[in-house]
Amino acid sequence: MTKTIRIGTRDSELALWQANTVAKKLRDLGYETEIIAVKSTGDLVLDKPLYEMGITGIFTKTLDAAMLNGSVDIAVHSMKDVPTALPVGIVQAAVLKRASAKDILLHQGDLSFLEKATATVATGSLRRKALWLNKYPQHQTVDLRGNVNTRMQKLADNNWEGAIFAAAGLERIAKKPKNFINLDWMVPAPAQGAMVVLALDTDEYALDALAQLNDIESEIATYIERQFLRTLEGGCTAPIGAFVQYNEHDDTLTFKGVLLSLDGTEKFEVYKEVPIEEWKKLGFHAAKEILDNGGAVLMEKLREQLKK
């Protein structure tokens, strides 16, 4: 049996780049593809911070529905946008080789503000906001929403000192400017820099095709990071970061995870280095360590704050 694999995607420049990348890889393997772009609620509502909208998977729900109603066969996402619990009938079919997981700061050409008591930095992420305020408690953060191009334009149009972006997104669409610095100290979002393809669990044709695109190292790393997130959050959006690195020279994994209060004043960190054979429960054990050492109390507080 052969059929055209219909690829669902959001219609931003970055999302379309990701969908086209998957389409090309599938075509190179001999499959026919068609790209179908849709707008998500997260793209349409730009005047509220994401956490205030109270919807898990705000960028993925529209495509989930399109798959379940038969409008598309597969969906391509930035993996960090995908909820850790997928809808019944939808499965993770491939994780592509991961790009940079780093956060970067875009600035206006003058970094002296990093030494000053007052400055304004823009980000739509609770994690980035909390990590920034933890390091620079006197600074102010403002919400920044929209696709990559919209956010970059907002930075240009405002007198903010800088704005925080994922390096991978800017690199993929060749929009990384000269005025940036790597935020090596900032723990990335779980699965940041990774692209994931979802499919229906009954679609053997698509699942067989996508299995050929899967990168096992990226799959394991993102599994651990998302297991950490799932164990900590219990369905609550929170300032959580996690990053796994595979060390080829000794076949070990290093894991760094973080949980913060919204204002960055409380910070729980965990660091582990384990043999690769211990990967399956690494995220779970790291999260339990944080929860057992005070993180559970903070998570309760976060749930209450984010309900309001």
Side-chain angles (χ1 to χ4, degrees), residues 107-303:
H107 56 85
Q108 309 280 23
D110 179 8
L111 285 170
S112 62
F113 76 90
L114 293 174
E115 310 301 325
K116 293 178 181 174
T118 58
T120 301
V121 171
T123 173
S125 157
L126 289 180
R127 173 190 58 85
R128 289 171 179 154
K129 175 181 178 180
L131 282 165
W132 189 269
L133 292 175
N134 178 264
K135 189 172 178 69
Y136 301 103
Q138 299 87 3
H139 287 184
Q140 176 187 357
T141 61
V142 294
D143 191 58
L144 180 61
R145 291 284 317 286
N147 62 41
V148 169
N149 294 320
T150 300
R151 284 181 283 143
M152 291 182 75
Q153 189 58 52
K154 286 180 179 177
L155 174 60
D157 293 343
N158 284 275
N159 59 357
W160 308 325
E161 276 73 18
I164 306 170
F165 288 76
L170 295 179
E171 288 165 1
R172 282 171 176 152
I173 59 173
K175 291 286 172 72
K176 194 171 171 184
K178 290 180 182 176
N179 292 339
F180 80 91
I181 56 170
N182 287 316
L183 301 176
D184 295 320
W185 52 269
M186 191 169 268
V187 184
Q192 184 160 306
M195 289 163 50
V196 66
V197 191
L198 306 181
L200 294 175
D201 60 4
T202 54
D203 190 344
E204 291 185 17
Y205 186 80
L207 292 172
D208 287 345
L210 293 168
Q212 300 171 70
L213 306 187
N214 192 60
D215 180 77
I216 189 66
E217 191 177 311
S218 300
E219 181 189 6
I220 288 173
T222 54
Y223 174 89
I224 295 165
E225 292 164 17
R226 284 163 63 79
Q227 184 184 66
F228 175 78
L229 173 66
R230 183 171 62 249
T231 306
L232 276 184
E233 68 177 359
C236 168
T237 302
I240 294 169
F243 184 64
V244 170
Q245 189 160 358
Y246 171 59
N247 308 305
E248 196 172 346
H249 66 283
D250 60 358
D251 230 20
T252 61
L253 296 169
T254 53
F255 175 89
K256 185 168 188 182
V258 64
L259 168 68
L260 300 101
S261 60
L262 295 180
D263 61 5
T265 55
E266 292 182 77
K267 183 181 181 185
F268 295 90
E269 290 181 283
V270 60
Y271 179 86
K272 290 187 175 296
E273 185 168 340
V274 302
I276 194 164
E277 294 80 15
E278 297 179 21
W279 69 271
K280 284 190 178 177
K281 286 283 191 177
L282 177 54
F284 172 78
H285 291 310
K288 287 293 287 178
E289 190 172 307
I290 282 183
L291 290 170
D292 292 345
N293 288 292
V297 175
L298 176 55
M299 281 305 306
E300 266 314 307
K301 191 195 305 183
L302 287 166
R303 287 188 191 99

Side-chain angles (χ1 to χ4, degrees), residues 10-28:
R10 293 160 61 195
D11 66 353
S12 70
E13 184 179 3
L14 175 58
L16 287 167
W17 181 94
Q18 293 179 161
N20 278 297
T21 298
V22 171
K24 182 181 185 307
K25 288 179 181 293
L26 288 173
R27 287 197 303 271
D28 288 346

Side-chain angles (χ1 to χ4, degrees), residues 67-111:
M67 258 191 294
L68 292 168
N69 71 25
S71 304
V72 302
D73 300 305
I74 66 175
V76 182
H77 297 287
S78 294
M79 198 173 187
K80 67 182 177 66
D81 293 336
V82 176
T84 54
L86 296 176
V88 174
I90 293 176
V91 293
Q92 177 178 305
V95 181
L96 276 65
K97 187 169 178 59
R98 192 179 200 170
S100 170
K102 287 182 180 176
D103 288 305
I104 59 175
L105 177 76
L106 271 53
H107 56 85
Q108 309 280 23
D110 179 8
L111 285 170

